[in-house]
Amino acid sequence: MMNIRTKLLIFIPALLILSNGVSFFIFQSGKTVQQSYNIMLERVLLYKEIAAQTDRNLRSLNYYLLDQSEPSKEAYLREQQSMMKLNDTLAVQQTSPAANLFVRNYRHLLNTFVEQEAAVLEARSEPNTLNYVPLVEELEATAGFIRDEGHQLIDTELRYYQPFYRQIFIHTEAMYRYGAIIFIVNTLISVVVAYWISLGISKPIQQLVRMARSISRGNLQSKAPAFHAKHEFTELTEAFSRMQADLQQLMEKEKASLEKDRQLKELELRALQNQMNPHFLFNSLNVLSKLALLEGAERTSDLTVSMSNLLRYNLRKLDQPVRLRDEVEQAKEYFTLQQARFRERIQFVTHIDEAALEVFMPVLTLQPILENVFVHGIEGMESGAIVTLSIERLKEVVLITIEDNGVGMSKETRKALLRTDAGAPSARQGGQSTGLGTYNVFRRLELFYEKEHLVDIQSEPGQGTKVMIRIPLSGKEELHVSIADR
């Protein structure tokens, strides 16, 4: 049996050829009638134009005879030139056999009219004479003969072509009848063929659609439709069955893999939540004990509260976002503890736009960056260390800038920190961080907002470091970060 493509390649061109053939024959019949009509109409219009031009030529001559001015003479010559062109056109015009004699007489009249005009002009050139007046009367009579002859020529042409047109119309009507019959037969054949071809396409598609809907509802045991003929849908059904079997295998594997990933992510989250820096805790507790000896209990109490708040914030759930305002408060608590350690060696400067603090972001975003500033940027400075936290709301983002005047970093280190797609190197997870590390911060920002290039770092060795984070304003609604997303 023929496949669908062969059916379409055979029947559709055959129907088009049949339809175009009928249209061509009807078009040719109409074209023949139109050509004959155009030829006759051109001659009729030429006769009428010659008669009208003769009258215009006679009027311009009379005006010139009375006026005798140069403009009237030029007008007369233009009219005469137009009439001579029409006479030349009539000479080369194809005429009907019945009108040949009348056309020759008509041209003789035109030539006579031109000769009489010349005689009138010659008689008018003689001084003090009216000999041209009888000649003008003869010229007007000739113009009347030209009009009458033109009407006779038109009647002759119409009488000659009348039987011819009647025969053409009879032939055309027969062609229209045949065309209508062929059109009806062609339409019926087209409908039958279209229904036959569409049935061969739509029925297999409907069966495959029912199978696809059954699979989409979770029934992977749906039976594939069987076709008796060998065509494109047979191959499609076989491929569909293979895909169904592969899908069942993949789903079983995916279930097992998802269960493993879920367990691993839960373990990873617990490990991240418990990732506290012993060195930081040791230094902080040491500062608290020394202050307890050197100062009164009020300062020690404040530091203890700050330490308690900071530890409590570090131990909260990592899958719950927080407002930027909370991150800023924890950053201030962290700096309070560091201020007690470094004293006058450091200065913490803030420039914060209150309107920008309501956006949501991942927890523990600012503190790990500040830890990195202290550990790698300004820890070795004896005095004059400045850490600046700036927050401003722009058109589409909230810009967070953390800047220090510390030792800076090399170009290679800066690029390594920004490469969140390459995995966290061990150097970024050193023993002096209470948070998740700058790598984890940058990666979690990308996962949280589902965007890349949210962080930029500007730094040169010996010239400090500036970290810029762009928080999209679309993050103002509270989001939830699932374990699998992290």
Side-chain angles (χ1 to χ4, degrees):
M1 294 183 66
M2 292 185 294
N3 56 27
I4 297 174
R5 182 182 180 184
T6 305
K7 293 177 184 178
L8 295 176
L9 291 177
I10 292 177
F11 289 105
I12 292 180
L15 294 175
L16 289 175
I17 291 172
L18 183 59
S19 300
N20 292 336
V22 174
S23 302
F24 176 77
F25 285 122
I26 295 176
F27 170 76
Q28 283 297 111
S29 177
K31 185 178 179 181
T32 303
V33 174
Q34 186 67 34
Q35 288 177 345
S36 302
Y37 177 78
N38 289 340
I39 293 173
M40 185 272 292
L41 184 61
E42 287 178 0
R43 287 200 293 268
V44 169
L45 293 176
L46 180 60
Y47 300 149
K48 293 179 68 65
E49 179 65 19
I50 290 175
Q53 183 62 38
T54 302
D55 292 338
R56 288 194 295 270
N57 197 17
L58 182 60
R59 285 195 300 270
S60 64
L61 177 61
N62 289 330
Y63 184 77
Y64 171 64
L65 293 175
L66 296 175
D67 187 41
Q68 288 292 306
S69 64
E70 189 65 27
S72 61
K73 180 180 180 181
E74 293 178 356
Y76 160 69
L77 292 176
R78 284 196 300 270
E79 297 295 339
Q80 186 185 46
Q81 186 68 25
S82 299
M83 191 183 72
M84 294 178 67
K85 288 181 179 179
L86 291 174
N87 191 12
D88 295 338
T89 304
L90 180 61
V92 298
Q93 185 76 26
Q94 183 181 1
T95 59
S96 62
N100 285 335
L101 179 60
F102 293 100
V103 171
R104 285 199 297 269
N105 293 335
Y106 197 58
R107 294 193 61 221
H108 289 323
L109 283 174
L110 292 175
N111 293 330
T112 300
F113 183 83
V114 173
E115 292 172 358
Q116 288 177 345
E117 279 186 325
V120 169
L121 291 174
E122 184 178 357
R124 182 67 179 82
S125 64
E126 296 177 1
N128 302 323
T129 179
L130 295 177
N131 294 335
Y132 71 92
V133 175
L135 297 177
V136 171
E137 294 176 354
E138 293 179 1
L139 184 63
E140 291 177 350
T142 304
F145 292 149
I146 292 174
R147 287 193 295 271
D148 295 339
E149 192 69 20
H151 293 156
Q152 188 174 1
L153 276 171
I154 293 173
D155 294 338
T156 303
E157 292 283 355
L158 293 176
R159 284 195 302 272
Y160 175 77
Y161 278 100
Q162 186 175 4
F164 177 71
Y165 278 116
R166 185 178 296 111
Q167 187 66 29
I168 290 178
F169 286 139
I170 294 173
H171 177 70
T172 302
E173 289 178 358
M175 287 296 299
Y176 285 155
R177 287 194 298 270
Y178 293 144
I181 294 173
I182 295 174
F183 174 76
I184 294 173
V185 173
N186 186 30
T187 301
L188 293 175
I189 295 175
S190 301
V191 171
V192 172
V193 172
Y195 177 76
W196 177 51
I197 294 177
S198 63
L199 186 63
I201 297 175
S202 61
K203 187 176 179 180
I205 289 178
Q206 291 174 357
Q207 294 176 339
L208 290 175
V209 167
R210 285 195 293 268
M211 180 181 178
R213 288 176 178 173
S214 178
I215 294 175
S216 67
R217 290 192 292 265
N219 183 14
L220 296 180
Q221 307 299 328
S222 299
K223 186 177 180 181
F227 301 113
H228 301 291
K230 185 71 175 178
H231 47 61
E232 289 87 347
F233 287 105
T234 305
E235 298 179 3
L236 183 60
T237 303
E238 294 174 355
F240 213 101
S241 299
R242 290 193 298 269
M243 182 184 66
Q244 184 180 6
D246 294 340
L247 185 60
Q248 292 177 351
Q249 296 178 1
L250 287 174
M251 288 189 66
E252 294 298 329
K253 293 180 180 179
E254 187 67 17
K255 287 180 181 179
S257 177
L258 287 175
E259 181 62 23
K260 293 179 181 179
D261 289 343
R262 185 186 65 82
Q263 296 175 358
L264 289 175
K265 293 298 181 181
E266 288 181 353
L267 292 175
E268 179 185 5
L269 178 60
R270 293 194 185 99
L272 290 175
Q273 288 176 326
N274 295 326
Q275 186 184 26
M276 304 296 293
N277 191 323
H279 182 69
F280 169 73
L281 292 176
F282 176 78
N283 288 337
S284 299
L285 294 175
N286 188 32
V287 169
L288 292 175
S289 67
K290 289 181 179 180
L291 284 175
L293 297 175
L294 298 176
E295 297 182 353
E298 183 178 354
R299 180 75 180 275
T300 304
S301 176
D302 292 340
L303 288 176
T304 304
V305 171
S306 296
M307 186 64 186
S308 175
N309 292 335
L310 191 61
L311 291 176
R312 186 181 299 109
Y313 191 79
N314 274 265
L315 294 175
R316 69 189 300 168
K317 291 184 178 181
L318 295 180
D319 59 344
Q320 296 296 328
V322 297
R323 286 184 173 83
L324 177 56
R325 183 183 305 277
D326 297 332
E327 283 288 298
V328 172
E329 292 300 324
Q330 294 307 312
K332 292 178 179 179
E333 297 281 7
Y334 175 78
F335 190 80
T336 299
L337 294 174
Q338 294 291 5
Q339 184 78 53
R341 176 186 172 191
F342 289 93
R343 296 183 180 277
E344 291 80 10
R345 291 167 53 190
I346 61 171
Q347 181 182 358
F348 188 50
V349 181
T350 59
H351 303 286
I352 297 175
D353 181 2
E354 291 292 330
L357 297 182
E358 296 304 315
V359 294
F360 281 88
M361 63 191 308
V363 66
L364 291 178
T365 297
L366 300 184
Q367 180 184 327
I369 300 177
L370 289 173
E371 291 177 13
N372 197 63
V373 170
F374 281 97
V375 173
H376 300 290
I378 64 175
E379 188 174 31
M381 298 178 63
E382 295 295 332
S383 62
I386 300 176
V387 180
T388 304
L389 173 62
S390 302
I391 299 175
E392 59 179 327
R393 176 170 178 167
L394 304 180
K395 184 177 181 180
E396 297 181 355
V397 299
V398 172
L399 179 61
I400 303 173
T401 304
I402 299 175
E403 186 176 3
D404 67 80
N405 60 345
V407 297
M409 66 181 70
S410 64
K411 184 177 181 180
E412 292 75 15
T413 303
R414 181 176 63 84
K415 288 183 177 181
L417 287 172
L418 293 175
R419 287 192 61 190
T420 58
D421 58 338
S426 58
R428 298 181 189 167
Q429 300 175 357
Q432 298 187 10
S433 176
T434 64
L436 306 180
T438 53
Y439 167 79
N440 289 329
V441 170
F442 299 161
R443 180 59 179 162
R444 290 171 71 240
L445 285 171
E446 291 183 355
L447 294 176
F448 184 78
Y449 295 106
E450 297 181 352
K451 293 183 180 180
E452 296 182 350
H453 310 297
L454 296 175
V455 181
D456 190 19
I457 299 177
Q458 298 177 2
S459 181
E460 294 291 340
Q463 298 183 11
T465 302
K466 180 189 291 186
V467 179
M468 293 172 290
I469 303 174
R470 296 173 180 85
I471 303 299
L473 285 178
S474 58
K476 293 185 70 173
E477 64 273 8
E478 187 170 358
L479 303 175
H480 180 79
V481 184
S482 65
I483 295 176
D485 287 339
R486 295 193 310 280

